[in-house]
Amino acid sequence: MWVLRSMRIVITGATGNVGTALIRRLGDEHSVVGVSRRRPSTGGAAWHTADLTRPDAVSVLREIFEGADAVVHAAWAFQPSHDLGYLERVGVDGTRHVIEAVTAAGVPHLVHLSSIGTYAKKTANAPVDESWPATGIPSSPYSQHKAAAERLLDELEERSGDSPIVTRMRPGIIGQRSAGSALLRYALPAIVPARALDLVMLVPLDHALAVPVVHADDVADAIARALERGAGGAYNLATPKPITADDIAAALRAHHVHVPAPVVRAAAAAAWHARLQPVDPGWLDLAYSVPLLDTTRAERELGWQPRHDGPEVLREIIDGLRTAASGRTPVLRPRTVARQLADLLRRGPVSRRRHT
């Protein structure tokens, strides 16, 4: 049995894709504290600013975490893709700082937003459960950093004495319409307008592509259920049907042309190294290597079911990209070519832009 009670819940990365959905989900039922590098103008939470990469991050976070019933760690960085040191400081060192602050503040429950990317390469097309090796894809920096972050959670759970409940959410690719502008900044050169997607006629991808996806609101619902039940452990989150190359082509109203994965990767890598596009080729390796997900445990222990199916999530992602949809936080801010060009001239390409 579990009893719903009002809790004080702190969310790191609260202005991002999942963080904003989680604030919506928790609504008026709980006292929500949002932590972000840049303070938003939106409501829904009591806001604090913190940079997880700074030397004083643990002391700053500890003060914010004092008295919390739970911390949800959703902060992560995806750019600049050419600065792997910075990405590791945010993802791995940032997770270490959160763990140390949670421990110091005596927070009883830590929920870590992990990823399908923490899993080792698939060996078949059968869905895997949470016992699949969490060693990551070697050629994907994102995957390796997610796996390293989970090893820190392993160390936390192996310590003697009182330790918090640790929950690991391992979702597929997460989508929602309002993340459109953010995804455009991460994935397209500054001079390419969102409406260029309407001109796509061919989708050159390997026909073997099959990627689990899940809506941000469904991830938020699973997190809320784990918080309210005090449930620990790892949970896969995905829609029953993965997204294929044909699905992507259909959503873009284009034709799928089979191109072997190594050829697609070589082209993407060449464009990335030449600074023509900002997505490192490790993301393609991840897309072709990740296993399908068995979500039985989340369904059984959390009573969780995704309300959005795979094609619906994909359509929402594509619509968000096509319209440059946005939210009311700095991470989900509107993206326009004019603003992108201004940032390009002032700060350089997003793939190697320094964060201050």
Side-chain angles (χ1 to χ4, degrees):
M1 286 290 295
W2 59 277
V3 179
L4 178 62
R5 63 183 179 86
S6 179
M7 295 182 286
R8 182 176 185 266
I9 301 168
V10 182
I11 307 168
T12 69
T15 58
N17 193 16
V18 173
T20 53
L22 184 55
I23 290 174
R24 289 196 301 269
R25 171 60 174 81
L26 296 174
D28 298 327
E29 297 175 357
H30 304 285
S31 174
V32 180
V33 178
V35 179
S36 61
R37 191 167 58 88
R38 293 165 291 181
R39 185 186 297 270
S41 58
T42 184
W47 291 99
H48 292 267
T49 57
D51 186 336
L52 303 189
T53 67
R54 288 178 56 88
D56 64 347
V58 175
S59 61
V60 171
L61 291 172
R62 176 180 179 174
E63 184 175 345
I64 299 171
F65 292 172
E66 289 286 350
D69 294 289
V71 168
V72 179
H73 177 41
W76 205 262
F78 300 92
Q79 292 289 353
S81 59
H82 286 276
D83 190 348
L84 295 182
Y86 175 77
L87 298 183
E88 184 173 14
R89 288 194 298 276
V90 175
V92 182
D93 294 341
T95 299
R96 180 182 292 108
H97 294 157
V98 168
I99 290 172
E100 291 176 4
V102 162
T103 303
V107 179
H109 194 171
L110 171 61
V111 177
H112 175 70
L113 183 63
S114 189
S115 167
I116 189 176
T118 199
Y119 283 129
K121 183 177 182 179
K122 65 183 177 183
T123 57
N125 285 327
V128 305
D129 65 16
E130 291 81 0
S131 65
W132 192 255
T135 52
I137 307 301
S139 57
S140 166
Y142 168 83
S143 179
Q144 285 299 296
H145 293 164
K146 281 294 186 182
E150 284 223 22
R151 288 194 291 273
L152 296 175
L153 299 177
D154 294 340
E155 294 172 5
L156 173 63
E157 292 186 307
E158 290 167 0
R159 296 175 192 168
S160 59
D162 292 336
S163 61
I165 297 169
V166 176
T167 308
R168 312 168 193 224
M169 293 298 178
R170 295 173 178 166
I173 300 300
I174 304 170
Q176 66 173 324
R177 187 179 185 278
S178 61
S181 278
L183 291 173
L184 287 170
R185 282 193 297 275
Y186 297 151
L188 287 184
I191 62 173
V192 178
R195 285 294 179 181
L197 290 177
D198 291 333
L199 304 178
V200 174
M201 300 180 65
L202 299 176
V203 175
L205 290 172
D206 194 305
H207 57 61
L209 183 72
V211 181
V213 298
V214 63
H215 196 280
D217 285 340
D218 287 326
V219 176
D221 182 55
I223 293 173
R225 289 168 180 268
L227 290 169
E228 291 162 356
R229 289 164 168 76
Y235 295 94
N236 291 340
L237 304 174
T239 63
K241 182 183 182 300
I243 295 304
T244 66
D246 286 336
D247 292 327
I248 295 172
L252 289 169
R253 298 191 290 272
H255 296 285
H256 171 218
V257 177
H258 170 66
V259 178
V263 177
V264 178
R265 190 197 193 279
W272 180 71
H273 285 295
R275 303 319 202 256
L276 297 177
Q277 60 88 15
V279 181
D280 79 79
W283 283 97
L284 280 173
D285 297 335
L286 185 70
Y288 287 113
S289 300
V290 292
L292 303 182
L293 297 179
D294 181 340
T295 62
T296 300
R297 187 181 186 199
E299 296 165 10
R300 181 182 65 247
E301 297 185 11
L302 303 180
W304 178 82
Q305 288 282 346
R307 290 172 295 172
H308 304 77
D309 63 23
E312 181 184 356
V313 176
L314 178 61
R315 287 193 299 271
E316 193 166 322
I317 292 172
I318 297 299
D319 181 60
L321 290 169
R322 183 177 282 118
T323 61
S326 60
R328 297 174 58 198
T329 68
V331 175
L332 304 183
R333 67 190 183 278
R335 184 258 196 195
T336 65
V337 171
R339 181 177 293 179
Q340 288 289 98
L341 289 175
D343 283 345
L344 177 65
L345 294 173
R346 184 167 55 91
R347 302 169 59 198
V350 67
S351 60
R352 57 184 178 86
R353 186 174 296 165
R354 292 198 174 274
H355 290 254
T356 58

